[in-house]
Amino acid sequence: MSDLKVKVTDLNKSFGDNHVLKGINFEVKNNEVVVLIGPSGSGKSTLLRCLNRLEDPTSGSIEIDGVDISQPKVDIDQARENIGMVFQHFNLFNNLTVGENITLAPVQLGKMDKETAEKTAQKLLKTVGLSDKYHATPASLSGGQKQRVAIARALAMNPDIMLFDEPTSALDPEMVGDVLEVMKKLAKDGMTMVVVTHEMGFAKEVADRVIFMDDGIVMEEGKPQEMFAAPKNERTKAFLDKVI
Ligand code: ADP
Ligand code: MG
């Protein structure tokens, strides 16, 4: 099997006249952690959303494990089962308990029976440091706790890649560390991850590779230490000067 988890080739995405992704080429290897940085509006979320077809690409191909998921005939529900996504605003089901949030998809999609799903949910809550919250409602949780539940929920489908879109941007500063810790642990356990974040400390410590996007283009990529110490591109430098 190839060592490549994701291979994006000449990806273009337009919303009407707005050409948002302009020929993106991008690869992620198995077990690699890629951090995606760039100014607001540069197309980071759109790229992540194309990776699990929350957006349909205008042109180009997106291969996950060698299967081009941009083809209309692909069973996208099945492809999505292997791709976990975590959003800035958690997107938990507020009318369900924490446990129900986590067991819903695996049970409904027939991936696990109810009992197995419940055991898995308990185990995942332990992993994210929320063992005692199985019966809690999302409304009773802090933002950081909600985000950790959202991570547990994504993991319940046993995905082999996790996409994070600014998972800590909506959190109070004191909550950020706990969420980053969970993500670090995942990375250490070998999860393949693509993370959009402004947390440069996380990027430095955890990322195998950083990609700087600007105006729908991959402007620069490299190891975090190298890129942060000596960005090659003027735009990368200007961006890093603002965020570091
Ligand atoms: P980033 O995540 O880097 O801030 P986005 O991918 O969210 O950037 O947005 C890139 C551009 O695409 C912006 O100009 C935004 O307005 C536009 N865009 C994103 N999603 C949509 C959408 N669903 N409909 C129309 N325009 C969109
Ligand atoms: Mg975004």
Side-chain angles (χ1 to χ4, degrees), residues 44-46 88 165-166 196:
K44 305 180 298 296
S45 294
T46 303
Q88 184 175 349
D165 194 356
E166 300 201 30
V196 176

Side-chain angles (χ1 to χ4, degrees), residues 20-167:
V20 172
L21 300 180
K22 302 171 179 168
I24 300 275
N25 293 296
F26 162 75
E27 293 180 350
V28 185
K29 295 197 189 78
N30 280 309
N31 313 115
E32 193 178 26
V33 178
V34 174
V35 164
L36 209 51
I37 60 173
S40 177
S42 56
K44 305 180 298 296
S45 294
T46 303
L47 173 57
L48 275 200
R49 292 168 63 81
C50 283
L51 292 182
N52 67 355
R53 281 271 298 278
L54 287 174
E55 300 290 353
D56 286 327
T58 305
S59 67
S61 72
I62 301 170
E63 288 174 43
I64 311 258
D65 286 324
V67 176
D68 185 354
I69 63 151
S70 61
Q71 296 299 317
K73 60 174 182 251
V74 159
D75 181 348
I76 192 59
D77 291 330
Q78 198 183 352
R80 272 191 200 133
E81 285 185 12
N82 294 319
I83 306 172
M85 179 128 180
V86 174
F87 302 88
Q88 184 175 349
H89 293 290
F90 331 125
N91 300 8
L92 295 177
F93 303 111
N94 288 318
N95 55 329
L96 302 180
T97 65
V98 164
E100 288 165 345
N101 265 277
I102 300 173
T103 56
L104 184 70
V107 172
Q108 280 204 343
L109 296 170
K111 215 163 159 127
M112 292 174 200
D113 61 41
K114 197 154 178 275
E115 200 185 335
T116 311
E118 285 170 1
K119 280 206 187 106
T120 305
Q122 297 278 13
K123 202 178 77 194
L124 288 169
L125 281 175
K126 195 168 167 208
T127 308
V128 300
L130 296 172
S131 297
D132 56 336
K133 298 296 183 189
Y134 190 90
H135 297 287
T137 57
S140 70
L141 304 180
S142 71
Q145 291 172 331
K146 283 183 195 168
Q147 193 58 299
R148 285 182 282 151
V149 171
I151 294 171
R153 181 179 60 177
L155 291 172
M157 290 297 287
N158 196 23
D160 44 30
I161 180 167
M162 288 280 285
L163 311 176
F164 293 86
D165 194 356
E166 300 201 30

Side-chain angles (χ1 to χ4, degrees), residues 212-241:
F212 173 66
M213 267 179 79
D214 193 22
D215 200 17
I217 290 169
V218 172
M219 291 291 266
E220 182 165 352
E221 59 183 294
K223 289 197 184 353
Q225 297 81 356
E226 291 167 13
M227 192 195 286
F228 294 167
K232 295 192 183 78
N233 188 290
E234 273 308 311
R235 304 277 276 269
T236 317
K237 185 174 182 322
F239 177 79
L240 290 174
D241 281 345

